[in-house]
Amino acid sequence: SKTHLLLMGLLASKPSASAPQGAPQMAAGGDDLPELRFSVGDRVKCRTGPGNGEDAWSPGCVVKQWYREASWPASRVAPYQIKLDDGRLIFAPMDDDRVIQALTGLLAAGKIP
């Protein structure tokens, strides 16, 4: 299935070929990328809808760091690819609390005890 872009209230509704504002750009050698806050396997919540309430966020698990799609320009990269608990595969366009946060509470374990 095609990876879906995270919905963000401040971004345009249609995807753009250019990287989202604040997204890291990969240097020619790929060595100049910053350290990320989350590791593969970390439980996170991602903004997938409008607003600021809990309904705007979906729980999931980081499955890849420094994700890119074949159709993107060589310099474009997303910090994370995330598999949401509902099965969707998305990416976070930037490593920022406005789009991706550590998951806490019961859902942090990925299952109800």
Side-chain angles (χ1 to χ4, degrees), residues 6-9 46-53 55-58:
L6 284 174
L7 299 175
M8 295 174 44
C46 299
R47 182 180 297 274
T48 54
N52 295 318
D55 289 344
W57 297 86
S58 298

Side-chain angles (χ1 to χ4, degrees), residues 12-112:
S13 60
K14 58 184 178 180
S16 167
S18 62
Q21 184 175 5
Q25 296 294 302
M26 187 178 295
D31 296 328
D32 295 331
L33 295 170
E35 186 174 334
L36 296 175
R37 295 181 297 153
F38 303 110
S39 299
V40 171
D42 283 356
R43 297 280 299 154
V44 294
K45 62 180 179 178
C46 299
R47 182 180 297 274
T48 54
N52 295 318
E54 283 302 310
D55 289 344
W57 297 86
S58 298
C61 185
V62 174
V63 294
K64 186 171 184 168
Q65 290 183 326
W66 302 121
Y67 171 76
R68 59 181 322 280
E69 292 190 354
S71 62
W72 291 354
S75 63
R76 183 173 176 192
V77 63
Y80 305 104
Q81 183 179 39
I82 303 101
K83 184 169 186 178
L84 298 179
D85 290 356
D86 66 11
R88 289 182 289 165
L89 198 59
I90 64 168
F91 65 88
M94 61 185 139
D95 187 6
D96 188 287
D97 273 347
R98 291 175 292 178
V99 295
I100 185 168
Q101 298 177 7
L103 192 58
T104 58
L106 286 176
L107 292 177
K111 59 186 176 199
I112 297 177

